[in-house]
């Protein structure tokens, strides 16, 4: 379908073209992954090098990069900067991937961009993600953003976003995920993430992990890049929940600072440290973010950036919480959060994708919960019956459902007023839950 030959092309026709005709990791997995930057560099040439025409912060990591990206965007917005934000995947609307000051890219811009560049792009044969990177970078250039927060899609070294030269590189956390593409050891995965480190560009590491610390130090040294580990600068004194907010008290050089976050998961503490260190470095590069603006931005991430899916309360009666954690480290954090909530019975609506380490995750899940095994609405989703069978090997008992909606509805029917319903196991399970009418505006 040649969109540029159609009159009055609709937004839906454009999306159909992007989703159905182009390789898309979200749908088909590893086959869509392009292990080099040649396509992206060719796209940038067609677009007259938009990635060189705005300032940026590049964010990589196994877990926490999405939350950290949204935190940074919220803080910079609070400081009065016109702030671009590029993240993936989206939950409900494709345009969630590309925002400026929390507002999604207009449908008309998407339609016009694809129609204008379709012929030239098709000669390059870009993946869905490469198309989207081109769209985002061109939009940020056209809108003259003061700065853009660019989240890595997968890995770092060979990710399509890695054509930018940022003000600062931020790496959040390294855990086991996408081993078929990034390697089977933490060291190998860390080396791929460290690929975003650029010559003479400062790099911040949110979390010191002893077994891979040297990987980052060596990479930074090789590129003459300054490096700092945020958890060595900021020390956690205490954290607690108060009025559905995460209060974090830290010390820096003996001085106490307190932040009240609207992102309430315990794992946000590590993300917070990396964000604080990044903003501190950014202030040394000509930006101005005051302590008051910093606190305001950190306290309003969900509102100012329209961020969803991270320890998000979908309903209070019964209490339904969703989280996108899906790998070993992510699930450990989910369980840590669950243990902080009082409940009579735990109901787990769980679905996974078929290219993940399912056994490792299932082995971590609580045995006493009631399970509702579901299949998300993407081709990569693991069949719910197969998931139920695998789960039974780990003494997890429950019933399989054809889709997320059915599983959530069954859990809600079975849940008592003092019970907790958790929805997760995959980003795409949470995305399907968020499309349900009763949750769409929560």
């Amino acid at each position: 379908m040649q969109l540029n030959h159609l009159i009055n092309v609709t937004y839906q026709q454009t999306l159909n073209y992007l989703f159905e005709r182009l390789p898309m990791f979200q749908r088909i997995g590893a086959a869509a992954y392009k292990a080099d930057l040649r396509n992206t560099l060719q796209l940038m040439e067609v677009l007259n090098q938009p990635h060189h025409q705005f300032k940026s912060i590049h964010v990589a990591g196994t877990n926490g990069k999405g939350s950290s990206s949204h935190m940074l965007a919220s803080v910079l917005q609070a400081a009065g900067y016109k702030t671009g934000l590029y993240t993936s995947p989206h939950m409900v609307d494709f345009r969630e991937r590309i925002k400026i000051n929390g507002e999604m890219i207009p449908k008309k811009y998407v339609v016009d961009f694809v129609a204008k560049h379709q012929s030239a792009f098709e000669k390059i044969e870009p993946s869905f993600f490469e198309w989207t990177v081109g769209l985002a970078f061109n939009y940020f250039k056209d809108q003259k953003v003061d700065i853009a927060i660019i989240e890595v899609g997968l890995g770092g070294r060979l990710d399509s976003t890695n054509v930018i030269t940022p003000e600062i590189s931020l790496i959040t956390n390294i855990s086991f995920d996408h081993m078929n593409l990034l390697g089977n050891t933490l060291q190998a995965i860390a080396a791929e993430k460290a690929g975003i480190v650029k010559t003479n560009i400062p790099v911040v590491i949110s979390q010191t992990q002893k077994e891979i610390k040297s990987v980052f130090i060596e990479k930074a040294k090789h590129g003459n890049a300054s490096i700092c580990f945020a958890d060595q600068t900021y020390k956690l004194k205490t954290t607690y929940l108060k009025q559905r907010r995460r209060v974090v008290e830290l010390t820096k050089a003996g001085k106490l600072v307190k932040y009240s976050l609207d992102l309430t998961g315990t794992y946000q503490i590590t993300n917070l440290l990396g964000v604080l260190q990044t903003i501190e470095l950014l202030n040394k590069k000509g930006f101005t973010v005051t302590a008051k603006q910093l606190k305001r931005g950190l306290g309003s991430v969900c509102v100012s950036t329209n961020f969803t899916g991270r320890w998000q309360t979908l309903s209070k009666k019964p209490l339904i919480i969703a989280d996108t954690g899906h790998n070993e480290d992510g699930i450990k954090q989910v369980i840590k959060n669950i243990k902080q909530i009082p409940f009579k019975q735990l109901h787990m609506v769980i679905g996974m994708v078929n290219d993940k380490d399912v056994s490792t995750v299932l082995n971590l899940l609580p045995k006493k919960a009631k399970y509702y095994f579901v299949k998300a609405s993407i081709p990569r989703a693991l069949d719910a019956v197969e998931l139920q069978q695998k789960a039974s090997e780990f003494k997890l008992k429950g019933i399989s459902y054809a889709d997320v909606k059915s599983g959530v509805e069954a859990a809600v029917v079975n849940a008592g007023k003092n019970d907790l319903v958790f929805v997760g196991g995959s980003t795409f399970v949470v995305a399907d839950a968020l499309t349900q009418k009763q949750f769409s505006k929560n």
Side-chain angles (χ1 to χ4, degrees), residues 254-287:
K255 184 180 178 182
L256 181 68
V257 286
K258 182 192 286 189
Y259 299 97
S260 177
L261 313 180
D262 63 341
L263 296 177
T264 59
T266 56
Y267 51 82
Q268 300 297 356
I269 298 166
T270 300
N271 298 331
L272 171 64
L273 304 185
V275 168
L276 292 174
Q277 188 76 73
T278 300
I279 293 296
E280 187 177 323
L281 290 178
L282 200 60
N283 274 339
K284 295 177 181 179
K285 282 180 154 276
F287 285 77

Side-chain angles (χ1 to χ4, degrees), residues 380-406:
R380 286 171 59 214
L382 183 62
D383 180 77
V385 174
E386 186 179 344
L387 179 58
Q388 179 190 6
Q389 292 169 346
K390 287 179 180 289
S392 67
E393 299 172 15
F394 296 90
K395 297 184 170 56
L396 305 179
K397 297 178 181 179
I399 299 172
S400 60
Y401 295 85
D403 53 41
V404 175
K405 184 175 186 290
S406 301

Side-chain angles (χ1 to χ4, degrees), residues 157-229:
R157 180 175 65 94
L158 300 174
D159 186 74
S160 300
T161 64
N162 202 29
V163 295
I164 61 174
T165 302
E167 301 297 300
I168 300 164
S169 301
L170 170 63
I171 301 175
T172 59
N173 159 282
I174 305 299
S175 184
F176 289 105
D177 204 2
H178 300 297
M179 285 91 80
N180 57 328
L181 299 173
L182 303 180
N184 291 313
T185 66
L186 282 183
Q187 287 77 12
I189 296 171
E192 289 297 316
K193 307 286 186 184
I196 72 165
V197 177
K198 304 291 193 305
T199 302
N200 297 321
I201 302 298
V203 58
V204 173
I205 312 296
S206 296
Q207 179 183 10
T208 304
Q209 295 171 264
K210 291 181 181 179
E211 60 269 53
I212 55 174
K213 183 179 179 181
S214 62
V215 175
F216 298 126
I217 292 173
E218 286 302 313
K219 178 67 175 178
K221 184 178 179 181
H222 182 73
N224 194 36
S226 66
I227 183 170
C228 52
F229 293 82

Side-chain angles (χ1 to χ4, degrees), residues 61-133:
T62 305
N63 297 307
K65 62 182 184 291
S67 295
S68 298
S69 295
H70 282 79
M71 282 181 176
L72 285 167
S74 183
V75 168
L76 287 162
Q77 285 172 226
Y81 292 103
K82 188 174 185 179
T83 307
L85 177 61
Y86 176 75
T87 58
S88 61
H90 62 273
M91 289 288 178
V92 178
D93 190 325
F94 163 78
R95 297 179 302 135
E96 294 168 29
R97 294 169 179 256
I98 305 167
K99 299 174 185 173
I100 295 177
N101 287 1
E103 295 291 328
M104 294 188 291
I105 185 172
K107 291 180 179 179
K108 187 177 187 304
Y109 192 97
V110 178
V111 172
D112 291 348
F113 178 87
V114 174
K116 179 179 179 180
H117 298 291
Q118 182 185 5
S119 294
F121 275 29
E122 283 189 349
K123 294 172 184 175
I124 300 169
E125 297 183 347
S127 69
F128 167 86
F129 191 81
E130 289 163 341
W131 255 102
T132 310
V133 166

